[in-house]
Amino acid sequence: MIVPHPARLTRRAGSFTPAGVQAGPGTHGPARLLAAYAGLPLVHNGPAVRLALVPGFGPEEYTLDVAPDGASLTASTEAGLLAGVQTVRQLLPRLPGLHVRDAPRLPWRGVLLDVARHFLPLEFLREFVDLLALHKYNVLHLHLTDDQGWRIEIDGWPRLTEVGAWRAESMVGPAGSGVFDGVPHGGFYTRRELRELVAFAAERGVRIVPEIDLPGHVRAALAAYPELGNRPEVRLPVWTEWGISPDILGVHDGAFAFCRDVLAQVADVFPAPQLHIGGDECPTTQWAANPFARERAARLGLRDPAELHPWFLGELHGMVTELGRQAVCWDETGHAAGRLPPELIVTAWRDAAHGALAVARGHRVVMAPHTSTYFDYRQSESPDEPPRTEVTTLEDVYRFDPLAGGLPVSDGTRPGVLGTQAQLWTEHAPTPDHVRHLAFPRLCALAERAWSPPGRGYAEFHQRLAGHLDRLRALGALPKERVRFAGALEVPGKTVP
């Protein structure tokens, strides 16, 4: 009933009910976490789960031994112990006799949560992080900015949150519906709140990789500071539609100074080795119409202002590198341009073939093809699903293989597949219960594809999932009531532009 299934598991006779948790040298953090999950005291002897650090294991590898007279959890790193803690957590309160030797298939096991389209409360983010840890995910990719909202406090740029964090209303239904709800929406996180979230996640073995989407998807920033764009004389509201705004950053010195300052402050809040710079869906028509952008493209020897896009991403990569971090971008910048620094990590969202091409070009890749990992897509043809045409079922997710075609696993330094991640975009998910509905049980399936060795069948997983869903209900991870997604139908009281 463990999800994701351990790499190796051997059943033994008997069972064990612990009365406490015993922390060996250097294991106090994981021991305290396990004690809190189990509602047990930290003890020095007696019938306990004993934690120990010993050499000889991989970075996240651990062993768990359960016998009638006790249980021991052993690893070489805190990350390994934390992975084992989540296995014990799933087996509580009475641990069956077993021997587990477990390690992840992929080093990057992530979930993107979009808090830009709809602001989500901090207490839900903590709950969500804890659920990611339960499934041995180790990355929360936090999408903090977009056309519809700017969610992080930045010193020296107060209008980003005073103006950019709030929109007058939201579109109802899919992009282009022409229907709006007439309800103001917004919110943002202070730097202190985000640092506390980072610490909470780190205690559970989850690192938070922030995303500041640049140079497109910046309408909220331009509503606050129009001089950063290509039409400084035009006052824009924060975008209330879905889809892609044509408004993008300019290529002048002021825009780059803004990027440099924002990225530096974001890196100060989030200590993760990676920082996501977006780079996706950047329409370049405003550069083509802007005399300064055309002149800059000519000075750089570019054939067309559209080629400023990979150049801009290269500049951002340099800024992130100067901060001692690794830049991550979405895959269209990696496969279409082919001129980005190979050190830039690529998130392959369009399809797996683009991810394979990025690997061939020397990149480290996070495989996230939308047909298998976009959980804002419908789970079924039920009318209770979001107003999307695409369907990604639980079985679709489980049958996805991030290493299909024999792609190599990257150790973080050489080209290859770093891992995989799910995407929870929130255009149609205004509340935590909407996110819960979209996330589960599909997050359980992707967790297994990222952690467990291949070879287990979908039917066996589905059978194991039944008991795991009971566990999730007990944790409050599933919606308590039926969730309804607003569609594109006109509703009395709605406004139409």
Side-chain angles (χ1 to χ4, degrees):
M1 215 164 74
I2 302 170
V3 177
H5 197 280
R8 283 184 284 172
L9 185 154
T10 305
R11 299 286 184 182
R12 290 175 171 169
S15 62
F16 171 65
T17 301
V21 177
Q22 184 176 340
T27 72
H28 286 82
R32 283 194 299 269
L33 184 65
L34 178 56
Y37 285 144
L40 295 173
L42 290 171
V43 298
H44 296 292
N45 49 48
V49 179
R50 300 178 299 275
L51 278 65
L53 286 172
V54 300
F57 292 89
E60 295 180 86
E61 188 177 16
Y62 70 93
T63 61
L64 172 64
D65 283 288
V66 180
D69 59 347
S72 62
L73 175 61
T74 308
S76 296
T77 65
E78 182 174 84
L81 287 177
L82 288 171
V85 162
Q86 298 300 335
T87 298
V88 176
R89 180 186 182 187
Q90 293 194 26
L91 296 171
L92 288 166
R94 190 170 185 84
L95 310 183
L98 50 73
H99 169 76
V100 168
R101 180 140 190 168
D102 200 9
R105 184 187 188 202
L106 298 170
W108 180 299
R109 305 175 305 280
V111 177
L112 174 146
L113 184 59
D114 169 18
V115 295
R117 272 51 176 268
H118 278 102
F119 176 78
L120 293 166
L122 198 63
E123 57 268 26
F124 173 69
L125 297 190
R126 286 193 288 267
E127 172 197 317
F128 194 71
V129 163
D130 194 57
L131 290 171
L132 296 190
L134 177 70
H135 294 87
K136 298 186 175 68
Y137 286 102
N138 62 353
V139 174
L140 172 61
H141 173 173
L142 203 56
H143 186 78
L144 287 163
T145 69
D146 216 294
D147 293 318
Q148 298 84 4
W150 185 283
R151 306 293 178 219
I152 178 172
E153 177 186 54
I154 299 294
D155 190 35
W157 301 86
R159 289 176 59 82
L160 289 173
T161 49
E162 292 172 359
V163 175
W166 310 92
R167 62 176 182 264
E169 57 185 357
S170 304
M171 180 167 275
V172 179
S177 72
V179 180
F180 294 79
D181 63 9
V183 179
H185 178 81
F188 66 91
Y189 310 106
T190 67
R191 290 190 298 278
R192 189 184 76 173
E193 287 173 333
L194 290 170
R195 286 192 178 99
E196 290 172 352
L197 181 65
V198 165
F200 178 89
E203 290 172 354
R204 288 153 178 78
V206 177
R207 69 182 183 273
I208 301 181
V209 174
E211 181 184 352
I212 305 298
D213 210 342
L214 305 165
H217 286 287
V218 292
R219 174 70 173 262
L222 297 181
Y225 296 99
E227 65 271 20
L228 298 174
N230 299 278
R231 301 181 298 160
E233 73 285 357
V234 178
R235 295 296 182 264
L236 300 165
V238 175
W239 219 37
T240 57
E241 301 181 35
W242 310 136
I244 306 168
S245 168
D247 298 290
I248 64 174
L249 289 178
V251 292
H252 49 78
D253 291 347
F256 285 107
F258 167 77
C259 293
R260 185 173 290 105
D261 194 6
V262 167
L263 293 175
Q265 293 194 45
V266 169
D268 184 59
V269 171
F270 296 93
Q274 299 84 19
L275 198 163
H276 208 297
I277 55 176
D280 60 316
E281 299 175 329
C282 180
T284 58
T285 52
Q286 290 188 355
W287 286 341
N290 183 277
F292 182 86
R294 292 199 305 269
E295 180 186 347
R296 186 147 211 172
R299 289 202 313 269
L300 292 168
L302 304 177
R303 294 169 297 177
D304 186 275
E307 294 184 2
L308 289 166
H309 185 212
W311 171 78
F312 201 120
L313 268 291
E315 295 295 298
L316 294 175
H317 165 74
M319 295 177 195
V320 174
T321 300
E322 289 174 2
L323 294 169
R325 307 300 169 82
Q326 303 162 359
V328 190
C329 73
W330 295 102
D331 77 334
E332 59 210 86
T333 54
H335 83 263
R339 294 190 300 275
L340 291 177
E343 299 84 9
L344 208 156
I345 299 169
V346 170
T347 312
W349 74 275
R350 289 192 178 273
D351 60 45
H354 291 159
L357 181 56
V359 169
R361 287 179 167 166
H363 292 280
R364 291 159 292 167
V365 174
V366 178
M367 296 295 280
H370 68 100
T371 52
S372 301
T373 68
Y374 271 38
F375 293 176
D376 56 313
Y377 289 4
R378 302 160 66 88
Q379 300 180 74
S380 70
E381 297 292 352
S382 166
D384 291 336
E385 295 295 320
R388 300 294 305 257
T389 56
E390 305 90 345
V391 177
T392 296
T393 67
L394 177 67
E395 187 170 0
D396 290 334
V397 178
Y398 193 80
R399 295 194 184 283
F400 164 60
D401 183 0
L403 300 179
L407 289 171
V409 177
S410 172
D411 64 356
T413 62
R414 59 177 181 264
V417 175
L418 275 175
T420 187
Q421 70 177 37
Q423 278 59 236
L424 279 161
W425 303 107
T426 60
E427 289 96 330
H428 309 300
T431 71
D433 261 0
H434 287 91
V435 175
R436 294 182 184 107
H437 172 93
L438 294 174
F440 295 107
R442 291 181 292 187
L443 277 184
C444 308
L446 190 65
E448 188 142 315
R449 305 310 287 151
W451 179 276
S452 307
R456 307 192 76 84
Y458 175 72
E460 188 273 345
F461 164 76
H462 199 266
Q463 184 179 21
R464 217 171 347 109
L465 183 65
H468 187 66
L469 290 177
D470 289 339
R471 180 182 296 129
L472 293 179
R473 288 188 190 95
L475 290 171
L478 306 182
K480 295 177 179 60
E481 299 178 354
R482 180 181 176 186
V483 174
R484 298 180 183 274
F485 289 84
L489 299 176
E490 189 166 352
V491 179
K494 307 298 185 187
T495 62
V496 179

